[in-house]
Each structure stands twice: as structure tokens, then as C-alpha cells.
């Protein structure tokens, strides 16, 4: 059977997340929320202690460590697969020591010069995201001639830099960075251009969950468009990209995306059976 898309559940240990407004900021609440996402079917928990929403100010290193490490320790102790959403090498190191297995760096190693050597030396999986600057400047850098080609080229450059430094290519995952220095149309074009992303030869992670371009779509249709009302649209994106065979989706509401992955997997299995039986396209 074709490997299914993994569902990565988001645990924001922040007071200012765009998606939940700090609902899971307290450590005990964040830990309980992580366990709830696992019960819903999450394969991976992605724990973050710094908001990267447009315009967000950076937190101190000490504050990010204080937010993230205890939550990682508690959830990793139960055997969960933990990813940590950080741009700082020191936070990544502490999280790995606490039991994390994946570092999800929205800057692709550009925000902290120590990150690339850490990735090169470590035996962990690393998400390389497309990035053009921190939250306070990324909106003004959302200018592209041809967004898919430029994002792929910039991701390829980051991959080449990591491999040249000694990183294991088999442990690198790519993320087009939806919403990071992209406008709504750019995000849709990137989703339509998944073939170009998968052609990079690495697993692909898609993080569309509750993002502004989904809110804009819903608002244009006269529907509720606040982040918490974007979960059904998020699940629809999950079904589409899972049918395409992406490695994983990063989502805030897990249950809907778990079902969406099941639907996509059933469809892909039926398509593969039709191809093997020589019945592709038969009415």
C-alpha cells in the first residue's frame, strides 16, 4: 500500500498565536492539548514557543527555552514523535536532548548561523522551509515573478548549502512556507505546483492550516473566516495534498485532517489498483 501522509498536530506554547490566541500557553494545558491531538490520531506533535505570525516580535532565547523544553520532555516521555518549531540552534539542541526527533525551522537555517552546523552534525530530521525574513519584514518581501520557480530555486539553494555542510540528504524535508512572504494567490499557485516541489527529491510538508489565504477564500464566499472557522477548509487542503502523496501536513485541528488523509489514501489505493490491473481510465 502507498505510504500515507502523516498528520503533524500543532501545539503552540505562545500567548500570541494567530490561530488560537494563546489558548495552550500554560505548560500543563499545552501538554494536555498535545495528548488530546495524539488521541485524535496525530502522528507527530509540533511544539513551538515563538509566534511567527506576520508582525510578531521575537521572544528571548530564555523565554523560548522555558516555554518549549518542559512540554517536549513531558510529551516525548510518553513515546510521542516530537517536532520542535524553532529558528534557534540552542533551542533545537535543548529540544533534541529533551526527546525531540524533528526540528522544524521556518527560516530554513537562515535565521541562526549555528543551525546549519547543528543539522550537519546531528542524526535528526530537519524541515527546510522557504523563508525571506522575520515576521516584521516578510510581508514586504512577498514579490515574485513566478512564485513556484523562485520558491523551488531558493529551497534548492538551502538544500545544497545544508548538504555541502555535511547534512544527510535523507533526513531533509522541504516546506514551501505557505504564508511566509507570500500573498494569497502565491499560496494557491504553490499548492497547484506540488509537482515542482516533489521534484526536489525530498519529502514535502505542507502547512496551510488556518492561514490567512483560507480565511480570504471563506470571506469572499460570505462564510465565517476567523482562524478557528478555517478547519474544514484546512481538511480539504489536506485531502488534496495527501492525494498528491505529500509526506506530511501540519494542522491545528487533527481529527478532520486524519479523516481527509484516510479518504486520500483510499483514493490513491484504488487508483494504483486500477493502474496495476490495466484499467486506468476505464469507464
Amino acid at each position: 500500500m502507498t505510504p500515507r501522509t502523516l498528520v503533524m498536530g500543532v501545539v503552540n506554547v505562545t500567548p500570541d498565536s494567530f490561530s488560537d490566541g494563546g489558548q495552550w500557553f500554560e505548560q500543563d494545558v499545552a501538554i494536555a492539548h498535545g495528548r488530546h491531538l495524539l488521541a485524535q490520531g496525530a502522528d507527530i506533535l509540533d511544539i513551538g514557543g515563538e509566534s511567527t505570525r506576520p508582525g510578531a516580535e521575537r521572544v528571548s532565547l530564555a523565554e523560548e527555552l522555558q516555554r518549549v523544553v518542559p512540554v517536549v520532555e513531558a510529551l516525548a516521555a510518553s513515546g510521542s514523535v516530537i517536532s520542535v518549531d524553532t529558528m534557534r540552534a540552542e533551542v533545537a539542541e535543548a529540544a533534541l536532548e529533551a526527546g525531540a526527533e524533528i526540528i522544524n525551522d521556518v527560516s530554513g537555517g537562515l535565521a541562526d548561523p549555528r543551525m546549519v552546523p547543528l543539522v550537519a552534525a546531528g542524526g535528526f530530521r530537519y524541515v527546510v522551509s522557504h523563508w525571506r525574513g522575520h515576521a516584521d519584514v516578510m510581508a514586504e518581501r512577498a514579490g515574485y515573478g513566478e512564485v513556484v520557480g523562485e520558491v523551488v530555486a531558493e529551497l534548492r539553494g538551502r538544500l545544497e548549502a545544508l548538504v555541502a555542510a555535511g547534512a544527510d540528504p535523507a533526513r531533509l524535508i522541504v516546506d514551501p512556507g505557505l504564508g511566509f512572504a507570500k500573498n494569497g494567490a502565491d499560496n494557491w499557485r504553490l499548492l497547484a505546483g506540488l509537482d515542482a516541489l516533489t521534484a526536489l527529491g525530498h519529502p514535502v510538508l505542507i502547512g496551510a492550516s488556518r492561514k490567512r489565504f483560507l480565511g480570504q477564500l471563506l470571506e469572499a464566499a460570505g462564510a465565517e473566516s476567523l482562524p478557528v472557522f478555517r478547519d474544514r477548509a484546512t481538511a480539504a487542503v489536506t485531502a488534496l495534498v495527501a492525494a498528491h502523496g505529500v509526506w506530511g501536513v501540519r494542522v491545528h485541528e487533527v481529527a478532520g485532517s486524519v479523516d481527509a488523509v484516510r479518504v486520500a489514501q483510499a483514493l490513491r489505493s484504488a487508483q494504483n489498483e486500477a493502474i496495476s490491473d490495466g484499467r486506468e481510465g476505464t469507464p
Side-chain angles (χ1 to χ4, degrees), residues 252-278:
H252 298 85
E253 193 276 323
V254 163
S257 281
V258 167
D259 284 346
V261 167
R262 290 181 180 131
V263 169
Q265 180 68 2
L267 177 61
R268 294 187 76 206
S269 295
Q271 290 171 331
N272 290 338
E273 288 172 10
I275 290 170
S276 64
D277 292 343

Side-chain angles (χ1 to χ4, degrees), residues 159-231:
L159 291 164
E160 290 172 351
L162 285 156
V163 172
D168 181 355
R171 294 184 177 272
L172 301 179
I173 300 160
V174 297
D175 182 335
L178 300 179
F180 290 89
K182 284 103 181 162
N183 62 33
D186 293 333
N187 295 317
W188 290 115
R189 291 185 185 111
L190 284 165
L191 288 172
L194 281 177
D195 284 342
L197 289 164
T198 56
L200 286 167
H202 295 268
V204 175
L205 175 67
I206 295 294
S209 183
R210 295 183 178 177
K211 290 195 172 173
R212 183 179 300 175
F213 75 104
L214 296 180
Q216 291 169 340
L217 176 73
L218 298 175
E219 185 176 10
E224 293 282 3
S225 60
L226 292 173
V228 294
F229 293 109
R230 300 171 192 171
D231 289 333

Side-chain angles (χ1 to χ4, degrees), residues 21-91:
Q23 189 174 359
W24 320 114
F25 180 50
E26 298 298 328
Q27 287 179 3
D28 57 342
V29 178
I31 292 164
H33 181 56
R35 290 173 177 154
H36 174 66
L37 296 181
L38 291 169
Q40 288 187 320
D43 300 291
I44 303 165
L45 296 177
D46 191 46
I47 299 166
E50 179 177 25
S51 175
T52 51
R53 63 178 172 77
E57 295 183 4
R58 299 211 68 186
V59 299
S60 69
L61 170 62
E63 178 67 17
E64 188 179 357
L65 286 166
Q66 182 179 345
R67 292 176 182 181
V68 168
V69 174
V71 179
V72 172
E73 287 177 338
L75 292 170
S78 66
S80 309
V81 177
I82 303 298
S83 166
V84 170
D85 180 356
T86 186
M87 293 180 279
R88 290 184 167 114
E90 192 165 338
V91 175

Side-chain angles (χ1 to χ4, degrees), residues 8 111 149 169 232 243 273 282:
M8 176 185 283
R232 288 175 295 186
E273 288 172 10
T282 301

